[in-house]
């Protein structure tokens, strides 16, 4: 029965990279560590962390290092992310799973309040994201989930409980 579907979104918040971080990378030309931002042209489908959609071919993008916020633990990491080179309108919704990524398999990496990776972490096969996230968040120790690219391990976005 289960195929890729857009969740209703009432139980979760979906967080793109904050606008302040994106604006700093765009205007300063360096990421938070001082590494130069790369400017590239989209091939199409590139996962944009500013608006949580796939890029259209020919769009101007930036590639830079991003460290998703977590408490100071060994699990903090910096990885490459893509965003529009100019400010965009942001995600179409912050209360529903990004529609361009509904069918995209991901690793859903769960974290507890200490910022440690939690055993609820799992591979998401691109079907029924809302159900999978509800199962993960059923454990009260799960504070947030990072969606990550399977092949590259790159951060995509953060999911938290709406309540």
């Amino acid at each position: 029965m289960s195929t890729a579907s857009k969740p209703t979104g009432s139980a979760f918040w979906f967080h793109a990279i904050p606008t302040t971080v994106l604006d700093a990378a765009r205007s300063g030309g360096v990421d938070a560590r001082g590494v130069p931002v790369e400017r590239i042209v989209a091939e199409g489908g590139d996962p944009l962390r500013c608006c949580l959609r796939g890029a259209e071919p020919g769009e101007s993008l930036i590639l830079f290092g991003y460290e998703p916020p977590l408490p100071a633990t060994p699990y903090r990491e910096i990885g490459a992310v893509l965003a529009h080179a100019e400010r965009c309108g942001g995600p179409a919704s912050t209360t529903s799973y990004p529609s361009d990524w509904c069918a995209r398999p991901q690793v859903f990496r769960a974290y507890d309040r200490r910022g440690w990776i939690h055993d609820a972490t799992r591979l998401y096969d691109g079907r029924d994201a809302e159900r999978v996230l509800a199962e993960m968040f059923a454990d009260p120790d799960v504070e947030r989930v990072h969606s990550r690219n399977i092949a590259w391990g790159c951060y995509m976005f953060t999911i938290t409980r709406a309540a």
Side-chain angles (χ1 to χ4, degrees):
M1 170 202 137
S2 191
T3 59
S5 63
K6 186 175 179 183
T8 58
S10 61
F12 310 108
W13 289 107
F14 298 87
H15 308 270
I17 294 176
T19 304
T20 54
V21 172
L22 294 165
D23 287 347
R26 290 173 179 132
S27 65
V30 295
D31 65 20
R33 296 176 301 149
V35 176
V37 169
E38 298 290 332
R39 295 191 176 272
I40 63 173
V41 175
E43 294 178 11
D46 315 78
L48 299 171
R49 279 48 161 233
C50 49
C51 55
L52 304 183
R53 70 167 176 83
E56 297 295 326
E59 286 187 294
S60 296
L61 309 179
I62 56 172
L63 174 66
F64 65 99
Y66 176 66
E67 181 180 11
L70 283 174
T73 73
Y75 295 104
R76 286 176 72 166
E77 57 188 294
I78 296 172
V81 295
L82 291 165
H84 281 114
E86 301 297 325
R87 188 181 260 204
C88 67
S93 172
T94 58
T95 59
S96 61
Y97 196 83
S99 60
D100 279 9
W101 292 343
C102 282
R104 183 188 296 242
Q106 296 287 295
V107 171
F108 282 169
R109 189 182 298 165
Y111 293 88
D112 64 19
R113 67 185 57 80
R114 300 173 302 160
W116 287 56
I117 294 177
H118 188 279
D119 287 343
T121 294
R122 63 174 62 174
L123 180 63
Y124 165 63
D125 65 4
R127 295 180 296 182
D128 205 355
E130 185 174 355
R131 178 190 54 77
V132 173
L133 291 166
E135 290 171 2
M136 294 174 73
F137 280 109
D139 185 322
D141 291 335
V142 174
E143 181 178 277
R144 74 189 83 200
V145 173
H146 287 177
S147 177
R148 292 190 170 258
N149 182 285
I150 290 174
W152 299 85
C154 302
Y155 170 85
M156 304 297 266
F157 55 93
T158 298
I159 305 127
T160 57
R161 286 181 184 86

